[in-house]
Amino acid sequence: MKILITGSNGLLGQKIVKRCIKHRVPFIATSKGVNRNPECPEGNYISLDLQQSDEVKKLVSDQKPTAIIHTAALTNVDYCEANPEECHQVNVVASRILYEAAKSIQAHFELLSTDFVFDGENGPYKEEDPVNPLSVYAQSKVDAENDLINDPEKYKNWSIARTIIVYGTGFGLSRSNMILWALEALPKGEVMKLVDDQFRAPTWADDLAYGCLEIVLRDQKGIFHLSGPVTRPVNKIVEEVGEALGLTNLNIETISSSTLNQAAKRPPRTGFDLSKAEKLLDYHPMDIQETIPLLQHDLIHYH
Ligand SMILES: NC(=O)c1ccc[n+]([C@@H]2O[C@H](COP(=O)([O-])OP(=O)(O)OC[C@H]3O[C@@H](n4cnc5c(N)ncnc54)[C@H](OP(=O)(O)O)[C@@H]3O)[C@@H](O)[C@H]2O)c1
């Protein structure tokens, strides 16, 4: 067993590295540029820009991993909307090259995907529900998924892990997340403007890392939905954070999505049916109330 983790500097990538170290799973971590995760030993790290296809192929044939967990992506949805070609190159073309490299050595290929593959009209969603992407980012993930699902050579050693609003903290992350923002803003009494017409199931990054790794360790294939356990409107998610902090009189202003002028269209109501992951992976994710104390502990550790 040897796992190649892409995007190891990202939020999820860092948690998968942490889990591999804790459970003594051999791994190679890669990301663009230098290793920003001091918990990832330099001996396990190889810098790799996934857009350099020859280097990707060489790394896979040199390292011969038994599985690749592909977390790296352009993840800023509005940036993708404004830069569709770059989004396609990173999220679709680079994923395809990595998948073909995995196939060439018969390795398992696990692709990270998103609830945004759905249009949000009929959530919560099961793995087999039809997709209908509303944005450039969402379309890129559908295209990357389809390279696996519709493989003309019918290669079966792959999985897709779809997830929803991932939260947690790590070293030198390139972007924040809603719950971190709330942890900072709420105690200061800063006003938070939040939509009440988008429903999500926020996902603790450590739970997601567990699910992603279990797929490989249990040799599972196909699509898996891995999110937090409860779907609620975005304003309620942040209210839960306030409650977990013991705060009253939260300064939350409720707004409608139409007033936000976001470049990329968002699905109104997602959320996942987690039965498949519960049954096959023993995936039992924590909800916000349980994770906030852990996140506060992490904030001390990581900064
Ligand atoms: N976060 C969410 O709420 C969410 C929700 C649904 C699905 N997902 C999916 O889950 C996965 C992990 O998300 P995340 O939040 O951990 O992402 P993240 O923190 O944004 O990390 C993504 C990583 O990908 C790397 N990357 C980007 N372009 C690259 C390239 N050309 N070559 C090599 N590495 C590259 C980035 O490197 P740099 O740091 O060096 O830029 C970054 O470390 C993604 O596939 C995402 O689409 C995330």
Side-chain angles (χ1 to χ4, degrees):
M1 167 72 59
K2 176 156 109 178
I3 299 178
L4 176 66
I5 304 158
T6 72
S8 66
N9 281 334
L11 175 56
L12 173 60
Q14 290 194 23
K15 303 301 179 190
I16 296 175
V17 164
K18 185 174 153 192
R19 239 193 126 72
C20 283
I21 292 170
K22 188 171 171 198
H23 296 278
R24 297 174 192 272
V25 177
F27 72 94
I28 295 291
T30 75
S31 236
K32 207 167 145 181
V34 297
N35 179 15
R36 297 203 303 274
N37 177 4
E39 285 180 351
C40 178
E42 287 302 328
N44 290 65
Y45 184 82
I46 297 171
S47 166
L48 174 74
D49 179 349
L50 290 169
Q51 289 187 272
Q52 305 299 319
S53 56
D54 289 343
E55 287 177 32
V56 172
K57 289 176 201 163
K58 185 173 181 322
L59 179 82
V60 172
S61 77
D62 285 353
Q63 292 295 328
K64 298 200 174 24
T66 45
I68 297 174
I69 304 184
H70 180 36
T71 83
L74 279 191
T75 56
N76 183 321
V77 179
D78 293 317
Y79 180 87
C80 288
E81 203 68 16
N83 299 276
E85 185 48 34
E86 187 184 347
C87 173
H88 181 76
Q89 287 302 322
V90 177
N91 291 359
V92 186
V93 177
S95 295
R96 186 176 299 148
I97 290 161
L98 200 55
Y99 173 58
E100 290 299 332
K103 275 170 69 175
S104 73
I105 56 160
Q106 302 294 304
H108 180 112
F109 183 77
E110 180 177 324
L111 172 75
L112 263 292
S113 188
T114 168
D115 55 333
F116 280 23
V117 297
F118 300 110
D119 60 18
E121 297 300 329
N122 297 299
Y125 290 97
K126 286 184 189 304
E127 284 82 352
E128 59 274 20
D129 284 334
V131 300
N132 186 23
L134 302 178
S135 64
V136 168
Y137 167 79
Q139 183 66 57
S140 76
K141 289 291 186 177
V142 168
D143 291 348
E145 287 191 359
N146 281 340
D147 278 339
L148 281 51
I149 296 167
N150 302 324
D151 184 340
E153 290 162 10
K154 307 245 178 294
Y155 187 70
K156 293 283 178 230
N157 197 7
W158 58 259
S159 57
I160 293 167
R162 294 186 184 135
T163 191
I164 305 177
I165 303 184
V166 186
Y167 68 95
T169 189
F171 298 100
L173 295 176
S174 49
R175 64 190 195 123
S176 188
N177 50 71
M178 186 201 302
I179 307 249
L180 280 185
W181 175 36
L183 274 178
E184 216 170 273
L186 293 177
K188 292 185 200 156
E190 285 174 13
V191 64
M192 290 186 78
K193 292 185 184 183
L194 299 162
V195 294
D196 61 358
D197 54 5
Q198 288 182 29
F199 291 67
R200 302 285 183 264
T203 311
W204 174 235
D206 294 72
D207 282 331
L208 177 59
Y210 165 85
C212 290
L213 205 53
E214 283 307 298
I215 289 175
V216 170
L217 297 178
R218 294 176 188 225
D219 201 21
Q220 291 293 325
K221 323 277 188 212
I223 304 173
F224 282 87
H225 281 180
L226 302 174
S227 70
V230 183
T231 305
R232 18 168 133 63
V234 166
N235 63 316
K236 294 279 177 214
I237 293 171
V238 172
E239 278 176 26
E240 283 276 331
V241 177
E243 272 173 40
L245 295 175
L247 299 171
T248 47
N249 298 324
L250 303 174
N251 212 350
I252 293 175
E253 203 178 298
T254 307
I255 54 171
S256 132
S257 298
S258 59
T259 62
L260 278 179
N261 281 327
Q262 288 170 311
K265 204 171 169 198
R266 269 75 168 170
R269 185 188 287 262
T270 64
F272 286 157
D273 180 329
L274 298 175
S275 340
K276 182 179 176 187
E278 283 165 4
K279 189 168 158 216
L280 297 178
L281 307 176
D282 276 324
Y283 178 77
H284 301 289
M286 289 186 284
D287 198 16
I288 292 168
Q289 294 284 346
E290 291 170 275
T291 58
I292 291 304
L294 304 175
L295 183 44
Q296 286 177 306
H297 175 269
D298 279 359
L299 280 170
I300 297 164
H301 172 69
Y302 285 103
H303 294 289

